Amino acid sequence: ESDEKFYFLEVNTRLQVEHGITEEVYGVDLVEWMIKEAAGELKGIEEFKAVPNGHSIEVRVYAEDCINNFRPCSGKIDDVTFSGKARVETWIRKNIEISALYDPMLAKLIVHAENREKAVEKMLDVLTESKIYGITTNLEYLKSLILTGDYKDGKLFTKMLEGFLPEENALEVLDGGVQSTVQDADGMIGYWTVGVPPCGAMDAYSFKIGNKLLGNDLNAAGIELTMRGGTYRFRTTASFCITGADMQATLDGESVPMYTVISASPMQELKFKTAAKGMRTYLLVKGGIDVPKIMGSSSTFCDGKFGGHNGRALRTGDVLHLAEDCQADNFNSFDGKYIPKIDNTWTIGVLPGPQPTYEYLKPEYLDTLTSSEYTVNFNSARTGIRLNGPVPQWVREDGGEAGLHPSNIHDNAYAIGTLDLTGDQSILLGPDGPSLGGFVCPVTTAKGEMWKLGQLHPGDKVHFQLLTLEQAETIRKNQDKNINLDYTDVVLPKPAQLDASYSIMAEGTHDNTDYKIRLQGEENILVEYGDMVLDIELRFRVHILMNEIEKSDLPVIDMTPGIRSLQVHFDVNKISAREVCEKVKEINANLSSLDDITVPSRIIKLPLSWDDPQTQLAAKRYQQTVRPNAPWCPSNPEFIRRINGLDSIGDVQNIVFDADYLVLGLGDVYLGAPVATPVDPRHRMVTTKYNPARPWTPENAVGIGGAYLRYGGSRRLSVCRTYNSDVESVKRNGVFQKR
């Protein structure tokens, strides 16, 4: 429709109502008509005949919480979809912030049909098909109103809304506890290569059992409660199940049994206390929590500020949508004998690999690992669980070009559940952890043992037990049987007598380049090329291998390149690690020579803030909370100057800004953050990485670790930050050639 016609329909309502003027009069001087009408001089109007044409209904969508006395709501819109059956007048879109300072009206939805009955049906479809996620709206209220008998019969009266408070398929957060987030079981799979961690439930075993009892899809979204769960109010009759750590839940004061399907009535409150044992409890609801999917998942990545509900932990006032059908047909419970046992002392089954070998660690290290007791550090999170325990028995004095500590290696992809030796501290990497890093990783948690990481509580005692691939497979398959209510004991077998050599699946030489294929848990192998040196040619070889594997029929989930390595992540339910290893060996043996290789590339200019106040604050916090006598504090640039024998901090700054860098990997540490090295070796300064890693890093931090410039690293010596907004990139098409 033309602008004038739209203007006519919107502005000249009085002409339509009082004089029956229809849209056929389009083209007249509307302003003149309005003036004459106001002056009582409009003549000749009788020739226009009113022609009623059907019936229209308009609803107005507001950001308000109807159950809480129509309280205006604010927040970020995670996603929005309006039905195509309505005329939509709106200003909102995905990721818009709704402020509490303005009128909360979000949209007008208008339908037209040949009669009122059909218009009502059409509007009902529109309200059902329209979705706004992230904030609370009156969509459900409007839908319930249209379904009332009085409205359907056209019996509209002034006080018809008095006392009208319909149920809403939703769960209200009265208290979000310590850290409660929306998660699913599988997480965001397939984006490891660009630094997006899977996230998802840390104890996926307990999570899936709850969904199974409710009759849900095993991956249906639920709520992960951490340490202290908070309080929630059901706004409709709904069936739910609680699994994981026991937080002594009560429903309107009555104790709620674990691993049992329970029915809640509208306005009943579900309260959780603090877990005495374990760390995470799961609240699953029939049909799941209804949130938009990001990268195929409902999980929340708090550090990335996306996914789940508003990309953050839940807080008071949040209202989560539930499925239309949120009542279960049965009230199943899980056999108590087979419920996952949660305690304050744990034994975790791990597989050797990828790097327990003797070029890094002494032969007795694995014996030390399995005979020692570790304590969970309070500085733990979904990114990783820090363990206090014995210092690893290192072979090297330092990491060479990779860094000044013997734990430092050239960056490679990590696996979820790997034991990461960041300096002398051991950290079990969690599902929100980094995809790429430069530290030795001696063992990786078996897939069937991963749930235990989600229940580790500060102060808990941890022991490790080595497993073979066959033993790990048995644990995983028995766990799957339990999830499907085919009850089976899931226990650790007798300890396997393994040494570091178990982690080397294959090794050899091709095209005058040595290679090793290392075991990295049940779902990954790590292909390494050459010696532990910075050689850009090795990165080219990794790139070509990755391209060739992509052409194969392997069930690969994703591949993540490092400096001189390639992680191949595969579907363990379709192929074994040994089968993948043999296939990759075959592909590597058929790689063409690298005498002349061209790789597509581009040049980006990135503005940096030197020795930014936030990077200084990171060093200060580290001194105050982690290591008061750290030699790289209080000034990271001064330490770099001293270690590299430069005359002044200005020399450090000049080298950083004069260099041209080649990006060798993404995801160090998060979300595509690059690890890069100066193309000109004269610009390569070598320094250490934080030992132990610092628990806080400012956004956009740029640091140096080993010979690499890294963005967002929590373990590097920070020297710069990228500008927070409006980062202007100058891009140029081209190639980077290796001759």
Side-chain angles (χ1 to χ4, degrees):
E1 293 180 320
S2 69
D3 291 342
E4 290 87 355
K5 194 171 184 181
F6 181 84
Y7 177 77
F8 172 78
L9 293 173
E10 289 296 302
V11 176
N12 267 340
T13 305
R14 186 174 176 189
L15 291 177
Q16 292 182 20
V17 173
E18 295 189 9
H19 302 291
I21 296 177
T22 64
E23 53 190 88
E24 282 82 3
V25 300
Y26 160 64
V28 301
D29 187 338
L30 298 177
V31 176
E32 180 182 344
W33 277 41
M34 291 166 64
I35 293 173
K36 288 183 176 181
E37 165 68 8
E41 299 174 359
L42 190 61
K43 307 297 182 182
I45 199 71
E46 295 79 9
E47 63 183 274
F48 297 104
K49 303 297 182 183
V51 183
N53 180 21
H55 196 98
S56 290
I57 299 176
E58 173 186 308
V59 301
R60 299 190 177 189
V61 182
Y62 282 84
E64 62 184 9
D65 189 346
C66 303
I67 286 182
N68 283 310
N69 200 27
F70 299 92
R71 178 177 63 199
C73 298
S74 60
K76 180 170 71 75
I77 294 180
D78 293 330
D79 204 358
V80 56
T81 303
F82 288 116
S83 172
K85 298 176 182 177
R87 169 178 155 184
V88 180
E89 298 175 15
T90 187
W91 60 279
I92 63 172
R93 63 178 186 273
K94 185 177 179 179
N95 293 326
I96 281 282
E97 287 282 346
I98 305 300
S99 170
L101 303 177
Y102 303 100
D103 189 316
M105 189 170 74
L106 305 178
K108 297 177 184 178
L109 307 180
I110 306 166
V111 299
H112 178 269
E114 58 187 77
N115 56 50
R116 186 178 188 278
E117 182 181 8
K118 291 186 177 180
V120 170
E121 291 178 2
K122 194 172 182 180
M123 180 55 78
L124 187 58
D125 289 342
V126 167
L127 293 173
T128 301
E129 295 168 7
S130 297
K131 302 288 184 183
I132 301 176
Y133 294 101
I135 61 169
T136 308
T137 70
N138 63 341
L139 278 172
E140 285 290 326
Y141 185 89
L142 293 168
K143 180 180 172 182
S144 298
L145 176 63
I146 287 178
L147 286 170
T148 62
D150 281 346
Y151 188 89
K152 284 185 174 181
D153 296 339
K155 297 177 181 178
L156 310 183
F157 51 96
T158 304
K159 292 189 176 183
M160 70 178 299
L161 296 182
E162 189 173 14
F164 180 68
L165 194 65
E167 291 185 23
E168 183 180 348
N169 279 15
L171 182 70
E172 180 184 354
V173 181
L174 301 179
D175 171 12
V178 173
Q179 186 186 52
S180 300
T181 56
V182 176
Q183 302 288 348
D184 58 23
D186 297 337
M188 293 170 274
I189 301 298
Y191 301 95
W192 204 231
T193 187
V194 291
V196 178
C199 305
M202 280 197 76
D203 179 358
Y205 184 24
S206 300
F207 189 95
K208 289 181 178 180
I209 290 173
N211 271 333
K212 183 66 178 181
L213 291 172
L214 286 162
N216 291 344
D217 183 283
L218 295 181
N219 200 42
I223 302 176
E224 179 178 270
L225 316 173
T226 304
M227 189 177 287
R228 182 181 66 81
T231 306
Y232 306 83
R233 179 160 61 197
F234 290 92
R235 293 189 167 186
T236 188
T237 302
S239 302
F240 68 94
C241 183
I242 300 171
T243 64
D246 187 359
M247 292 186 180
Q248 303 169 57
T250 58
L251 185 64
D252 277 358
E254 296 293 325
S255 179
V256 176
M258 300 280 291
Y259 290 89
T260 302
V261 175
I262 303 294
S263 180
S265 301
M267 306 312 288
Q268 281 195 298
E269 292 185 8
L270 181 64
K271 293 185 178 182
F272 296 88
K273 295 182 180 179
T274 300
K277 295 181 180 180
M279 191 70 172
R280 290 174 175 84
T281 298
Y282 294 95
L283 171 58
L284 294 313
V285 183
K286 173 64 178 176
I289 305 295
D290 183 16
V291 294
K293 292 186 180 296
I294 303 294
M295 301 182 198
S297 171
S298 303
S299 291
T300 307
F301 181 29
C302 289
D303 288 340
K305 300 179 182 178
F306 62 81
H309 180 81
N310 273 193
R312 57 166 171 77
L314 301 179
R315 59 193 183 205
T316 301
D318 286 340
V319 177
L320 303 175
H321 300 292
L322 302 181
E324 288 293 325
D325 180 13
C326 54
Q327 297 182 53
D329 297 329
N330 58 68
F331 294 93
N332 293 331
S333 60
F334 195 76
D335 190 326
K337 178 183 175 182
Y338 299 96
I339 289 175
K341 300 298 186 293
I342 292 177
D343 209 335
N344 298 127
T345 301
W346 302 85
T347 300
I348 299 175
V350 294
L351 293 153
Q355 291 127 356
T357 44
Y358 304 149
E359 68 267 39
Y360 304 115
L361 294 157
K362 292 181 180 179
E364 58 266 29
Y365 169 75
L366 286 182
D367 290 334
T368 301
L369 177 75
T370 53
S371 61
S372 300
E373 183 174 80
Y374 293 80
T375 303
V376 177
N377 188 288
F378 71 94
N379 246 329
S380 298
R382 286 179 52 90
T383 51
I385 297 99
R386 296 178 182 231
L387 302 174
N388 298 332
V391 174
Q393 293 133 315
W394 301 109
V395 171
R396 306 178 298 169
E397 291 185 1
D398 59 51
E401 294 170 305
L404 301 183
H405 192 274
S407 65
N408 300 161
I409 60 174
H410 293 293
D411 287 43
N412 58 214
Y414 290 143
I416 303 299
T418 197
L419 186 67
D420 190 28
L421 303 182
T422 56
D424 294 327
Q425 184 166 60
S426 303
I427 300 179
L428 284 165
L429 297 180
D432 290 10
S435 62
L436 205 66
F439 292 96
V440 169
C441 297
V443 295
T444 302
T445 306
K447 189 174 176 66
E449 294 285 282
M450 208 76 75
W451 70 274
K452 296 178 180 178
L453 273 60
Q455 297 299 349
L456 293 179
H457 189 286
D460 282 2
K461 305 302 179 182
V462 176
H463 302 85
F464 292 101
Q465 178 179 319
L466 297 180
L467 301 175
T468 65
L469 280 167
E470 291 74 20
Q471 289 173 328
E473 180 183 22
T474 299
I475 292 172
R476 172 168 48 84
K477 290 186 174 179
N478 285 344
Q479 195 180 87
D480 288 342
K481 288 181 180 179
N482 268 350
I483 291 170
N484 289 299
L485 309 184
D486 179 11
Y487 296 115
T488 308
D489 283 322
V490 182
V491 295
L492 283 169
K494 292 182 179 180
Q497 298 301 311
L498 302 175
D499 60 27
S501 64
Y502 191 84
S503 66
I504 304 298
M505 305 188 73
E507 55 185 322
T509 303
H510 173 68
D511 195 22
N512 297 317
T513 303
D514 294 337
Y515 71 87
K516 285 182 181 177
I517 301 179
R518 297 176 178 270
L519 181 63
Q520 199 177 33
E522 291 177 81
E523 301 177 286
N524 306 276
I525 61 169
L526 187 69
V527 184
E528 289 183 344
Y529 282 124
D531 296 325
M532 183 59 70
V533 295
L534 176 51
D535 183 350
I536 292 175
E537 180 174 334
L538 299 178
R539 182 61 180 83
F540 278 85
R541 189 172 293 277
V542 167
H543 185 80
I544 301 305
L545 176 65
M546 183 172 66
N547 288 344
E548 293 303 311
I549 293 176
E550 286 175 347
K551 299 175 185 176
S552 73
D553 59 354
L554 285 172
V556 171
I557 295 172
D558 49 41
M559 290 185 286
T560 307
I563 306 301
R564 52 182 280 271
S565 60
L566 178 68
Q567 181 194 72
V568 182
H569 178 201
F570 52 88
D571 187 342
V572 72
N573 294 313
K574 296 180 179 178
I575 193 169
S576 69
R578 291 192 175 92
E579 290 170 327
V580 173
C581 176
E582 290 303 313
K583 184 65 176 178
V584 170
K585 274 178 58 181
E586 179 185 332
I587 293 172
N588 183 66
N590 293 312
L591 289 183
S592 58
S593 174
L594 296 186
D595 289 339
D596 190 355
I597 296 295
T598 298
V599 177
S601 63
R602 62 179 179 172
I603 295 174
I604 296 176
K605 295 187 184 296
L606 194 64
L608 299 176
S609 170
W610 171 255
D611 201 13
D612 187 270
Q614 288 294 301
T615 66
Q616 296 174 18
L617 179 60
K620 182 178 180 180
R621 285 191 184 181
Y622 184 83
Q623 273 193 299
Q624 292 173 340
T625 62
V626 180
R627 188 173 172 182
N629 62 343
W632 45 84
C633 294
S635 171
N636 287 182
E638 167 58 25
F639 179 80
I640 295 172
R641 180 206 67 77
R642 188 168 70 250
I643 291 298
N644 287 275
L646 300 174
D647 293 332
S648 68
I649 291 179
D651 291 339
V652 178
Q653 180 179 358
N654 291 337
I655 291 174
V656 168
F657 282 86
D658 289 346
D660 291 324
Y661 299 90
L662 178 64
V663 174
L664 300 178
L666 298 177
D668 190 354
V669 173
Y670 293 118
L671 299 176
V675 53
T677 191
V679 177
D680 186 339
R682 292 172 297 181
H683 288 152
R684 294 175 190 165
M685 296 178 290
V686 177
T687 187
T688 191
K689 303 166 188 175
Y690 271 54
N691 173 28
R694 63 174 179 257
W696 176 78
T697 299
E699 278 191 37
N700 305 325
V702 179
I704 297 176
Y708 302 101
L709 197 72
R710 305 157 193 266
Y711 296 76
S714 64
R715 302 161 182 140
R716 326 306 179 192
L717 272 66
S718 296
V719 294
C720 302
R721 284 176 77 227
T722 56
Y723 291 127
N724 247 336
S725 61
D726 247 358
V727 177
E728 296 180 1
S729 300
V730 180
K731 303 177 182 178
R732 179 170 66 83
N733 292 329
V735 296
F736 185 88
Q737 292 186 317
K738 178 261 165 184
R739 294 288 185 183

